Amino acid sequence: QVSPGLRTPRLPVWLCGVPGRHGVLFGTDSRLLSHWRAERVFHLYFYSGRQKQTQTVHLTIDTHSCHWETAPSEDACSPGKRCPALEMAIRTKWAGATISWNGTDPFS
């Protein structure tokens, strides 16, 4: 029998298979599962378990910022640039969100 914690997780967790990386994208705020207002600015973490990854990637997601509020040099998905696959995966849930990698180099 499956435990209730596996059927209904207490924290948001997604298994991700982006090109070249498989990992876990997760949040530490349980309100993301039940309260839509928590989806304005929040943090997600990505961990792949690969030997090259020495620490969890910390991402800040802002679902209400507008593209003109971000400096053009900060926008990794501007025309002519390739958008990181992890960002595209996140935007399947939060379309148009601004994603900050908090000092980590975005990987494709």
Side-chain angles (χ1 to χ4, degrees):
Q1 182 166 5
V2 177
S3 132
L6 291 175
R7 288 182 288 182
T8 309
R10 294 186 180 150
L11 295 172
V13 176
W14 297 272
L15 297 176
C16 296
V18 295
R21 294 182 191 261
H22 292 86
V24 178
L25 182 67
F26 63 96
T28 57
D29 186 356
S30 62
R31 294 178 305 151
L32 281 175
L33 295 172
S34 60
H35 196 357
W36 63 270
R37 289 186 184 189
E39 292 185 358
R40 190 194 182 302
V41 177
F42 56 95
H43 303 280
L44 293 178
Y45 304 88
F46 181 78
Y47 185 73
S48 68
R50 296 179 77 179
Q51 197 170 25
K52 292 180 182 179
Q53 186 177 356
T54 58
Q55 57 186 351
T56 304
V57 175
H58 172 213
L59 304 166
T60 301
I61 316 300
D62 185 350
T63 61
H64 286 76
S65 68
C66 299
H67 64 85
W68 57 81
E69 293 175 354
T70 305
S73 62
E74 295 176 13
D75 187 9
C77 295
S78 62
K81 288 190 175 179
R82 185 174 174 187
C83 188
L86 185 58
E87 286 189 24
M88 293 185 342
I90 291 169
R91 287 190 180 109
T92 62
K93 171 105 173 109
W94 296 284
T98 300
I99 300 169
S100 170
W101 287 74
N102 299 311
T104 304
D105 289 331
F107 44 82
S108 297

